[in-house]
Amino acid sequence: MKLKEILSGIEGIKAKGEVDREIISIENDSRKVKKGSMFFAIKGFSTDGTTFIPNAIENGADVILIEEGSCDYKSLQIPSNVTLLVVPDARYAMAICACNFYDNPSRKFKLIGVTGTKGKTTTTFMMKEILEKQGIKTGLVGTIAVYSGNKMLKESDRTTPESIELQQLFAKMADD
């Protein structure tokens, strides 16, 4: 997918380098980056993603996206063949890019969100069971696991995955 299409809907982008390029994957984990990837260097709770930029470049990243003010851009030593994108809010940009990259999968089905402090897992499994008994295909993203129909896609390690993984899961569910 073209980088310009992935960035659609994001305002305030500053770019250094080629923006008319093909991107084959979007990643926020430098270990998953390969040639043709776009890497999101996000500041997390315990780790700053900008420290993994050298790893992402070494693994083949063609595009690096960082948040404005997150670091000294000149100290990053981005090679001339790698595009650097600076945005006002990197986490928001990652969510928009993930939606665009996976073709906005949640628009292809009805989506129900359950929020609260207690009872989300019980509520979602009850809803899944009720809907399936009515012949409605379901998917579930929760604290225990992720399901597409009756097939468990993966065990979960948290209630809500990061936006890239969430959109990837939604795309799989839409295909199923």
Side-chain angles (χ1 to χ4, degrees):
M1 175 178 256
K2 290 287 187 184
L3 178 58
K4 288 181 181 180
E5 295 171 39
I6 295 170
L7 297 172
S8 178
I10 301 171
E11 295 182 13
I13 302 171
K14 296 173 188 162
K16 181 180 183 230
E18 181 63 46
V19 292
D20 188 27
R21 59 188 330 158
E22 194 71 25
I23 299 300
I24 62 162
S25 75
I26 58 174
E27 306 292 348
N28 63 333
D29 181 338
S30 63
R31 296 168 295 188
K32 295 179 181 177
V33 168
K34 56 188 171 234
K35 181 72 181 136
S37 293
M38 177 178 184
F39 176 66
F40 294 85
I42 305 284
K43 187 170 182 124
F45 296 109
S46 60
T47 322
D48 183 353
T50 60
T51 62
F52 297 101
I53 290 174
N55 300 67
I57 291 170
E58 185 179 311
N59 289 341
D62 284 346
V63 177
I64 305 290
L65 184 140
I66 62 172
E67 187 165 313
E68 198 167 16
S70 63
C71 63
D72 174 21
Y73 314 131
K74 293 178 183 164
S75 71
L76 294 177
Q77 300 178 348
I78 306 290
S80 60
N81 64 326
V82 175
T83 301
L84 176 65
L85 302 172
V86 181
V87 297
D89 184 336
R91 193 166 293 281
Y92 175 77
M94 183 170 69
I96 297 298
C97 289
C99 279
N100 292 339
F101 188 79
Y102 289 103
D103 194 28
N104 292 291
S106 63
R107 290 184 180 166
K108 299 172 184 166
F109 53 79
K110 292 190 187 304
L111 183 65
I112 300 169
V114 178
T115 62
T117 306
K118 296 188 184 284
K120 294 182 297 295
T121 300
T122 301
T123 301
T124 55
F125 275 92
M126 286 173 38
M127 290 170 64
K128 182 179 185 312
E129 188 70 21
I130 291 166
L131 292 169
E132 287 175 344
K133 293 284 186 207
Q134 294 300 309
I136 299 170
K137 292 181 180 180
T138 64
L140 185 143
V141 178
T143 308
I144 296 173
V146 177
Y147 292 89
S148 183
N150 291 326
K151 181 172 62 175
M152 184 171 77
L153 300 179
K154 64 177 268 194
E155 290 183 358
S156 296
D157 53 358
R158 57 183 159 189
T159 304
T160 307
E162 283 285 359
S163 56
I164 293 174
E165 183 182 2
L166 187 60
Q167 295 302 322
Q168 189 176 40
L169 290 168
F170 284 168
K172 171 74 173 126
M173 290 175 189
D175 287 347
D176 288 350

